[in-house]
Amino acid sequence: MSGNKVIKNLKSFSTAAERFEGSHVLCPGCAHSIIVREILNATNDNLVVSASTGCLEVCTAIYPHTSWDCSWIHIGFENSSTAVAGAEAMNKALRKKGRIGSDVPEPKFVAFGGDGATFDIGFQWLSGCFERGHDMMYVCLDNEVYANTGGQRSSATPIGASATTSPAGSTSYGEKQNKKDIIQIMAAHGSPYVAQVAPNKWKDMIKKIHRGFDTKGPVYINAMSACTTEWKFAPHETIEVSDLATDSLVFPLYEIIDGTELNITYRPKNIVPVRDYLGAQPRFKHLFKPEYEYLIKEWQERVDAYWEYLQRREEARV
Amino acid sequence: MSKSIKDMGWDELVQGAALFSFEGEVDYEMSQVQPEDRDYAETNSRNAYVGDWRVEKPVFNKDFCIDCQFCWIYCPDTSIIARDKKMIGVDMDHCKGCGICVEVCPTNPKSLLMFNENTDNEEALTQWPEKSEEKGE
Ligand SMILES: Cc1ncc(C[n+]2csc(CCOP(=O)(O)OP(=O)(O)O)c2C)c(N)n1
Ligand code: SF4
Ligand code: SF4
Ligand code: SF4
Ligand SMILES: [Mg+2]
C-alpha cells in the first residue's frame, strides 16, 4: 500500500488514517496544521520529517508530548533542510551497505520551515541541500512573518504590512521592502520541481504534493499559511482569507518544472481586487487611510504585473 | 536512564530528547491503521487535552450533513472524525473551537453551528435554524 494515496475526491481523501495528532498548541484556526495534515494524509509511505524552530515545531513538540505519528526530528532554526538531507543520505548509504534491506520500503523525506527559517536564517542550508541534490521535499510554511517570536518582519513580509520590527505608525506605513521571490530563487537552483500551494485549494495542493513525492531530487513547496494571530483576522476566517489570497492572485498558484517549464495551475473565475484581500487583515488596516491609498493602488499594479509575467513565462516555456 | 520520561522534570532531560508516539514496536503500516487501533504512548499529544481552550463549541447536526468532508479537511486540530466517508462527529478533547468547520460547511441550514461551551448538545439541536432564503454555497 505504499506510494501516493489515491484521492478521487474529498470523501475518498477523508478515509486517510491521520498521522498528525490533535492537542498540539498551535493557535485555534492556524493554517500550519491544515497544511501539514493535507501533506501527511496524501501519502501512504512511511515518513521522515524534520521541522525548523518556529510555530510548527514549538507547538507540536511541547515536552512531554509529540503530535507526530512518524519519525520526526528537530535540531535548530536554520537546519530542518540539512537534518532531513542527512537522514536521506544515511538511508542511501545503509541500503548500499545492505544494512537496510531492499524489502524495507523507501520512506519519504520532508522538511518543514517557516518563512523566517526559509527566506532568511536557513537559506544557505537550504541552498546547499538543493545544490547537492538530496531526494527530499522542503515545505515552507509562508505566513510572511516571524510568528513564533511575536511577529517580527522577515524577507517574506510584504510592503505595507505592520510587523513589530516594521510597525505602522504616525510616520510609517509599515514594511518597506518587497517580498523576496523565493520560488524563482529555488527554481534557479535547477530544482526538478518547485510549486506554490494554498491549503484552501486542496485539490491543486494534493496534485502538487503527489508530483513532489514522485519527483527524484530536491523539491520546493511554498505553502501559503494564513496566520490568524499575526495577520490579525478572527480564527474562523482562515479559509476565507486564504480564498481572498488565491483569488486576488496575491498568492498565484503555479509550478516550475526543471527550472524552466512554468504552469499556472489555478485561474480564478472571478479575480477579486487586492483591496479586498488587504481589507480582510488588520495588519494592513492603516493602508486604508487617505494618505496611503496610493499604496493599495501600487499593490494592485504589482500583482497585475506579476500575473502578466507568469502568463508570459507559461506561454514562452522558458 | 532508569526513570520514565513522564517522571522526569525539564531540568533532568539530557540534551537531545526522544518522545515516543507509540508503545512498543510499530509493526504495521501507519497509513493503513486508524487511530482507534493504534497503541499510543502517553507522550503522544493525542493523550493530552485542549478542550478547555474553547469558549464556543461546534455542535453537529447530522440531519443536514451531506458528508462533503469540507469540515474534515480544513480542521486544524484533527478533530473532525470521518470514517468510511461519513462525518461522524467532533473530537471534543482536541477541538479548540476555532469555528472553521462551521464556516466551511455548505449545507442550508448548516450541519455544524457554534454554541456557548456550556450549552447542552440536545438543547442546541432544538434551537437549530430553519433553511434560510439567502443562498447557501
Ligand atoms: C538561530 C536562531 N535564531 C533565532 C531564534 C528564535 N526564533 C525561534 S522561532 C523564530 C521565528 C520563526 O519564524 P518563522 O520561521 O517564520 O516560523 P513561524 O513561527 O512564523 O511559523 C525565531 C526568530 C532561534 N530559535 N534560532
Ligand atoms: S502565531 Fe500564527 S502561525 Fe503561529 S500558531 Fe498562531 S496562527 Fe499559527
Ligand atoms: S471548531 Fe475548529 S478545531 Fe473544532 S472541530 Fe471545528 S475546525 Fe476543528
Ligand atoms: S462540512 Fe457540513 S455537510 Fe460537509 S461533512 Fe462537514 S458537517 Fe457534513
Ligand atoms: Mg513565519
Side-chain angles (χ1 to χ4, degrees), chain A residues 3 13 23 56 78 84 152 173 255 257 272-273 285 292 296 310 313:
Chain A
F13 197 10
S23 283
L56 180 71
E78 59 283 359
V84 127
Q152 297 79 15
Y173 57 77
E255 60 188 12
I257 299 161
V272 302
K285 74 167 186 293
Y292 293 142
I296 300 183
L310 289 178
R313 279 269 320 256

Side-chain angles (χ1 to χ4, degrees), chain A residues 26 32 52-58 74 76-78 113-119 121 140-152 154 225 227 230:
Chain A
L26 292 159
H32 280 6
S52 289
T53 316
C55 282
L56 180 71
E57 173 272 325
V58 169
H74 161 67
F77 191 173
E78 59 283 359
D115 53 290
T118 307
F119 289 55
I121 296 182
C140 172
L141 302 168
D142 184 6
N143 58 10
E144 303 188 321
V145 71
Y146 287 80
N148 192 60
T149 37
Q152 297 79 15
S154 77
S225 187
C227 169
E230 297 302 339

Side-chain angles (χ1 to χ4, degrees), chain A residues 200-216:
Chain A
N200 51 313
K201 298 292 166 204
W202 67 269
K203 214 182 267 176
D204 177 74
M205 174 154 167
I206 296 307
K207 221 167 137 184
K208 287 170 178 159
I209 297 304
H210 278 172
R211 175 144 194 165
F213 278 141
D214 283 342
T215 300
K216 274 256 166 275

